[in-house]
Amino acid sequence: MALQDLCNFGDMFQEPGYLEESPIQFGFPFASSESVPLPFPMGHGTTTLAFLFQGGVLAAADTRSSCSGLVACPAAQKILPIHSHLVGTTSGTSADCALWKRILSRELRLYQLRHGRRLSTGGAAKLLSHMLHPFKGTELCVAATLCGWDGGELDDGCRDDHKGSEADDSERRDTTETPKADVETTAGAPGEKVSLSKTQSSSCTKRQCSRRKISFSGPGLFYVCSDGTRLEGKLFSVGSGSPYAYSILDQGVRWGLTVEEATSIAREAVYRATHRDAYSGNFVDIYHVTPNGWTRRTREDLKEEYYREKERVKTRGKQRETSREKKSKHRGVFWRDKLASSEQILN
Amino acid sequence: MLSAQSFGGPGKMKEYHYTGAVENRFSPYAFNGGTVLAVAGEDFAIVASDTRLSEGYSIHSRDSPKCYKLTDTTVIGCSGFHGDCLTLTKIIDARLKMYKHSNNKTMTSGAIAAMLSTILYGRRFFPYYVYNIIGGLDEEGKGAVYSFDPVGSYQRDTYKAGGSASAMLQPLLDNQIGFKNMEGVQHVPLTQEKAVQLVKDVFISAAERDVYTGDALRICIVTKEGINEQTIPLRKD
C-alpha cells in the first residue's frame, strides 16, 4: 500500500527483531524469540486506587497476592515508596512491579544527584514508561500509579512565592533554611485548603548569573502501564477489583474532601472491592502524600470490618422492625405478621 | 526430562486417556518435587526440607536434601526443578565469595535475599523454576525468613512453606505459629523446642498426604552458636 511504502511500515512487523535484541543495559540476558512455556503461575489480581484532593494525594491498596487460586501471600505490600515525596501503587506481576520500582528509585536518585532537584511525578512517569518500552510485547506486566508531590526543592534554593509576584532577577538566595518551611505555611494544618503555587527557583549558588525557572508545586498523579500507556488524572483505580472501587469513588471523591473523609472513602472502596473480588482481600494499606512527604496509616484487617458491618446491618434491621411495629399497631394483625416474616427473611 | 505434555502443571500427572492430537514439545523444565519450610524465632531460625527427589511416578533419590548452607548464619531451601536448584546455589556461592573478597565481610541474610531477588529477575524471561526460602539471623541476631517466588518477588516473613506440599502446610503454620483464625487464644512466643517439634509434626502430616514429600526430613537450626543439623525418617511409600 502506498502509505505503507512511504512510511516504511512494510518490514516493521515481519520479524520480531526487537525480541531477539537484548536490552543489555539492565544486564538482562537475550530474550528468547520463542517464549518458554512456564510450568508455574505468576501473581496477579489486586485492587489499588489513588486520587487527588485538596489535602494531597491518597493511595490505597489491598494486600492479597494470589497465584491462580492460591493466596501466595496475604500480607503483601502493594504500595511501595519510591522516595520521600513519591509513592507508587503496583498491580500486575509482583516481581516485575517490585524490581521496576527499585530501578525507578535508583534512576530518580541519580537524577536528583545530577540535577540538584527531584524529578516531578510526570517526569518519573515518563521515565518509567520509557524504561518499560523495550519490553512491550513480552509477558512483563506492570500497571502502576505514581502519586507524588512536586516542587519545594532544597538544593538550588527555590522559593515558594504564595503571592505570585515575580522574583528579582539578580536576587540570589543562599538558602540554608529549607524552602519546605514556605510550603508548610501555605499548607497549614491538615484539612485546610492548599492552593497550587508557583515556585520560582534561583540558580545554584555556584553560578554567577541567576537562572529563573518557573515550575508548579503541587500534587501529581500518573498511571503507567507496561503496554505503553501513560495518563495523567485525578482518580485512578487499577486491578481486578477496580470496577467495584470505581463505583464507590465516583460517588464520593471531590476536591474539597478533608483528610479523614478521603481516608474513609478510600477504605470503603477497597473494602467493597475485596468483598466482591476473589483476588483481592486481607488488609488495606493507605498512604497519604503531602508537601512534607508520605505518611502511612497502620494496616487494617478487613475481616474485622466485615463483621462490624454485619453487626450494623443487624441492628439497623432490628430498629426498622421496632419502628414498623409501632406504625403497624393501627393496622390489622395480618399485615404486621406479614411484615415481620419478610424482615426475618431479609435479615 | 519428560515433556511438559505428560504433566498437567507442576506435580500433576495427566490421565492416560486419548485426548486427540497432542504436540510433544521439549520442555526445559521438570518438576522434581519436595517441600521446604522455614520458621523464624526470637533468636533462632529453622529451615527444614524433605529429602525425596522424584520425577513423575519415579523416585530418583531418597537422600537429596534441599537445604543448603550459605554462611554461618544463613541457610537456603530450594525446591522445584533440581537442575535449577543446583545451578542457583552454585551462583549464590560464587557471588558470596566475590562479596567476601571485595568487601572483606560476610553477606548478611537481608543482603543475600536482595541479591537473590536480582539474580532471579535477571532470568525474567526464562526463569529458574525454583521456590526459594532463606532462613537465618539478621544483623541484630533475630530470626529472619525471606520467601521468594520463581521470578524474584520477595518479602520477609515469620514462617513460610514452599514446594509441592506448601498449600497444605501454610494454613497449618498460619494457625499454629501465627495463631490465626482462632478465638480467645493466648499468643505465646515460640520457643526453639516447640518450633522443632512443630516442624516434625508438620512434615509427618505432609508426607501422609503429598506423594512428592517423604523419605526423610532434614532440619537445620540456625542460632548464634552455629548451624545444627538433624535428620528424621519419614514415610518411604
Side-chain angles (χ1 to χ4, degrees):
Chain A
M1 294 162 85
L3 188 62
Q4 213 171 4
D5 292 340
L6 193 67
C7 304
N8 289 328
F9 275 162
D11 37 323
M12 238 170 79
F13 299 107
Q14 271 158 21
E15 23 133 329
Y18 64 92
L19 279 177
E20 273 141 23
E21 286 167 19
S22 58
I24 278 291
Q25 54 198 256
F26 298 113
F28 290 163
F30 297 106
S32 48
S33 49
E34 38 174 72
S35 59
V36 181
L38 291 176
F40 52 80
M42 306 260 239
H44 267 92
T46 183
T47 306
T48 66
L49 57 97
F51 58 87
L52 299 178
F53 68 112
Q54 58 80 20
V57 196
L58 203 77
D62 75 313
T63 61
R64 175 175 289 183
S65 172
S66 52
C67 230
S68 90
L70 177 66
V71 176
C73 183
Q77 224 201 349
K78 296 193 188 173
I79 307 188
L80 303 169
I82 296 175
H83 61 64
S84 60
H85 286 70
L86 183 63
V87 135
T89 67
T90 62
S91 169
T93 314
S94 27
D96 290 333
C97 293
L99 263 294
W100 282 102
K101 285 279 157 63
R102 259 181 99 179
I103 293 171
L104 184 64
S105 314
R106 183 191 70 192
E107 293 300 319
L108 292 181
R109 179 69 183 141
L110 287 172
Y111 183 96
Q112 188 183 0
L113 291 169
R114 286 173 187 146
H115 297 85
R117 63 181 177 87
R118 278 198 300 268
L119 190 54
S120 63
T121 315
K126 205 167 237 182
L127 188 59
L128 182 60
S129 171
H130 287 167
M131 288 199 295
L132 290 173
H133 182 70
F135 298 96
K136 189 169 154 71
T138 64
E139 70 240 11
L140 207 73
C141 185
V142 176
T145 60
L146 297 178
C147 325
W149 190 283
D150 309 330
E153 299 309 322
L154 299 168
D155 301 310
D156 61 349
C158 65
R159 287 179 312 125
D160 201 16
D161 202 334
H162 346 294
K163 298 193 179 89
S165 58
E166 302 280 301
D168 203 340
D169 262 24
S170 53
E171 192 174 23
R172 267 182 299 126
R173 276 264 239 116
D174 194 347
T175 49
T176 45
E177 52 169 313
T178 127
K180 260 190 203 170
D182 296 330
V183 184
E184 261 174 73
T185 51
T186 351
E192 288 178 19
K193 302 219 184 282
V194 171
S195 55
L196 286 178
S197 52
K198 289 194 182 122
T199 33
Q200 274 121 13
S201 60
S202 54
S203 65
C204 305
T205 51
K206 293 190 182 116
R207 296 229 182 105
Q208 281 304 313
C209 56
S210 62
R211 175 175 43 101
R212 206 194 314 156
K213 221 171 16 178
I214 299 174
S215 58
F216 281 104
S217 160
L221 179 60
F222 283 81
Y223 167 68
V224 178
C225 186
S226 52
D227 63 8
T229 316
R230 175 182 164 265
L231 297 171
E232 176 171 18
K234 296 202 175 63
L235 167 71
F236 285 113
S237 175
V238 187
S240 53
S242 62
Y244 309 105
Y246 269 127
S247 61
I248 306 286
L249 295 171
D250 287 336
Q251 215 182 2
V253 169
R254 324 175 299 277
W255 180 258
L257 293 170
T258 63
V259 177
E260 290 77 29
E261 284 170 353
T263 314
S264 81
I265 288 184
R267 234 176 108 257
E268 182 73 13
V270 175
Y271 167 60
R272 297 290 170 197
T274 57
H275 184 46
R276 281 292 176 182
D277 179 33
Y279 293 101
S280 310
N282 297 103
F283 302 94
V284 57
D285 274 337
I286 298 185
Y287 278 69
H288 179 211
V289 187
T290 55
N292 306 329
W294 55 261
T295 49
R296 182 191 174 172
R297 229 175 94 104
T298 19
R299 192 167 257 203
E300 208 185 319
D301 192 350
L302 288 173
K303 192 172 61 174
E304 310 294 321
E305 179 63 30
Y306 176 69
Y307 288 121
R308 278 198 292 266
E309 168 101 30
K310 288 215 102 164
E311 284 302 313
R312 278 199 292 267
V313 168
K314 233 195 269 179
T315 44
R316 242 185 282 144
K318 284 202 188 101
Q319 283 169 2
R320 255 186 272 134
E321 202 183 284
T322 47
S323 67
R324 277 223 187 102
E325 285 258 345
K326 288 181 198 154
K327 276 189 204 161
S328 67
K329 261 183 195 150
H330 306 291
R331 295 189 195 138
V333 177
F334 169 71
W335 282 115
R336 186 174 64 187
D337 287 349
K338 201 158 161 64
L339 283 169
S341 61
S342 62
E343 280 289 323
Q344 288 306 84
I345 295 166
L346 281 175
N347 275 343
Chain B
M1 273 173 281
L2 295 174
S3 79
Q5 202 53 39
S6 351
F7 297 94
K12 291 191 194 87
M13 289 290 288
K14 272 226 171 83
E15 285 156 40
Y16 284 93
H17 293 142
Y18 180 67
T19 46
V22 153
E23 185 198 1
N24 275 316
R25 237 183 102 154
F26 168 70
S27 166
Y29 295 112
F31 180 66
N32 294 117
T35 309
V36 188
L37 195 153
V39 178
E42 188 57 42
D43 57 353
F44 65 93
I46 297 177
V47 181
S49 77
D50 73 322
T51 58
R52 174 175 287 180
L53 190 74
S54 48
E55 186 166 356
Y57 287 142
S58 321
I59 295 180
H60 287 316
S61 166
R62 294 196 191 275
D63 186 21
S64 165
K66 294 161 191 69
C67 320
Y68 302 93
K69 173 175 168 256
L70 297 178
T71 67
D72 284 330
T73 53
T74 318
V75 175
I76 188 172
C78 313
S79 71
F81 172 41
H82 194 60
D84 277 345
C85 296
L86 293 175
T87 308
L88 190 62
T89 44
K90 278 193 198 128
I91 290 179
I92 297 175
D93 280 333
R95 293 286 295 265
L96 285 174
K97 280 203 190 103
M98 283 158 59
Y99 184 96
K100 181 80 192 288
H101 288 139
S102 40
N103 300 82
N104 198 23
K105 68 183 196 101
T106 351
M107 277 186 101
T108 57
S109 297
I112 297 177
M115 178 184 75
L116 181 56
S117 171
T118 43
I119 293 175
L120 291 171
Y121 199 80
R123 288 270 296 259
R124 168 68 175 82
F125 298 110
F126 183 14
Y128 289 109
Y129 180 17
V130 190
Y131 290 92
N132 295 290
I133 305 185
I134 290 182
L137 302 174
D138 64 6
E139 289 99 341
E140 296 160 20
K142 296 207 178 96
V145 164
Y146 296 92
S147 62
F148 294 77
D149 82 347
V151 270
S153 160
Y154 81 105
Q155 67 170 61
R156 185 170 172 174
D157 289 313
T158 320
Y159 53 86
K160 187 78 177 172
S164 58
S166 60
M168 287 180 222
L169 297 184
Q170 191 64 33
L172 182 54
L173 295 178
D174 282 336
N175 182 273
Q176 290 297 308
I177 303 182
F179 302 108
K180 297 221 179 117
N181 306 314
M182 287 199 285
E183 298 281 328
V185 273
Q186 214 186 3
H187 287 19
V188 255
L190 197 64
T191 60
Q192 189 175 320
E193 294 73 29
K194 186 155 190 295
V196 172
Q197 192 51 49
L198 190 65
V199 165
K200 288 180 190 167
D201 291 339
V202 142
F203 263 93
I204 290 171
S205 314
E208 294 287 323
R209 286 291 186 175
D210 181 34
V211 302
Y212 299 105
T213 307
D215 292 331
L217 166 66
R218 173 72 67 93
I219 305 185
C220 303
I221 307 168
V222 185
T223 50
K224 61 180 193 300
E225 278 91 41
I227 300 181
N228 185 13
E229 286 187 15
Q230 289 178 27
T231 309
I232 290 110
L234 291 175
R235 286 184 79 110
K236 289 184 163 42
D237 59 359

